[in-house]
Amino acid sequence: MSLSTIIKERRTVKRYKDTPVSVELIQDLLETAVWAPNHKMTQPWRFIFVQGDSLISLAEAARAAAMAKEKDPAKKEAAGQREFNKISTPPSILLAVMKEDPNPVTREEDFAAISCVIHNFTLLAWEQGLGTFWATYATIFAKQFREACGVQLGEKIVGSIHVGYPDMIPNPRERKSIEEIFTIL
Ligand SMILES: Cc1cc2nc3c(=O)[nH]c(=O)nc-3n(C[C@H](O)[C@H](O)[C@H](O)COP(=O)(O)O)c2cc1C
């Protein structure tokens, strides 16, 4: 597959086969993905791969967070179950974690750089037949969830990347035409 084909054909995948994902493969993909541009080479990232029983424990933390957040007692259980399902359904999740620099300029540049790493990862995964879903649902900011995966104060979860072999690949969503977004001065 050419790079342009991979870029255009990669889709956000939300339905996966049960097939487990090899930890070695994820490590290999990340080893390449980190060759992203990064001002001052701060390399402010680390990655947490979660699957199996650990994913269920993390999903329980998501349930606890959602139940604590829901104020209406009649809706607590359903809210918790929704979050539990969200986390426990994919075969595995890769959490992309960034150290938050106190300098706002560095922090913004670091966020841009880790976003490049994440997208590199999703493209490399696609090349290997893996689907991904970069999610930023509210759960990743919840105290219970952060504690369950060992994210420290001063670290931000930039993405919860669902990873697995696709069971269904959605149709592409239209992009704006180049004429609309391109200016020549
Ligand atoms: C930073 C970021 C956060 C995202 N968070 C979510 C999310 O929480 N829920 C969701 O359904 N999609 C999320 N997406 C995926 C987008 O919805 C998806 O990329 C977009 O619809 C285009 O589809 P495609 O990736 O298949 O081309 C996120 C994408 C990015 C880059």
Side-chain angles (χ1 to χ4, degrees):
M1 255 190 290
S2 70
L3 180 58
S4 60
T5 301
I6 296 169
I7 290 173
K8 282 186 171 172
E9 292 190 355
R10 176 212 56 83
R11 292 279 69 79
T12 291
V13 172
K14 296 188 177 173
R15 285 208 230 147
Y16 302 95
K17 296 191 165 78
D18 290 337
T19 320
V21 179
S22 131
V23 177
E24 291 73 28
L25 176 56
I26 296 298
Q27 283 177 316
D28 275 0
L29 300 179
L30 281 173
E31 232 171 81
T32 306
V34 293
W35 286 85
N38 174 207
H39 193 195
K40 300 188 182 144
M41 290 303 289
T42 51
Q43 302 182 68
W45 41 67
R46 67 186 186 96
F47 302 89
I48 304 169
F49 187 59
V50 195
Q51 61 180 352
D53 291 345
S54 302
L55 193 60
I56 301 301
S57 303
L58 199 57
E60 286 298 357
R63 185 203 298 278
M67 288 181 76
K69 194 173 162 198
E70 176 57 61
K71 296 290 168 252
D72 183 345
K75 293 182 181 162
K76 268 186 192 288
E77 200 165 317
Q81 190 62 42
R82 249 194 327 272
E83 286 311 304
F84 177 86
N85 293 346
K86 217 180 261 179
I87 304 300
S88 64
T89 303
S92 52
I93 287 184
L94 181 73
L95 297 167
V97 180
M98 183 187 96
K99 185 173 154 285
E100 290 192 286
D101 198 282
N103 180 329
V105 174
T106 306
R107 200 157 67 237
E108 190 169 82
E109 289 181 341
D110 282 349
F111 183 74
I114 193 175
S115 297
C116 294
V117 174
I118 295 171
H119 194 49
N120 280 350
F121 173 82
T122 69
L123 295 173
L124 291 161
W126 189 258
E127 189 183 33
Q128 296 301 318
L130 279 171
T132 58
F133 164 24
W134 178 350
T136 50
Y137 32 64
T139 293
I140 61 175
F141 306 105
K143 183 170 151 279
Q144 296 91 330
F145 187 88
R146 288 169 57 90
E147 279 175 5
C149 54
V151 171
Q152 305 293 309
L153 220 64
E155 290 186 315
K156 176 191 173 84
I157 302 175
V158 174
S160 171
I161 323 292
H162 298 196
V163 190
Y165 292 93
D167 197 29
M168 205 274 282
I169 297 173
N171 290 325
R173 298 176 68 179
E174 277 302 302
R175 266 50 177 181
K176 289 179 183 173
S177 74
I178 199 68
E179 289 74 21
E180 205 182 330
I181 59 168
F182 185 65
T183 307
I184 305 170
L185 296 182

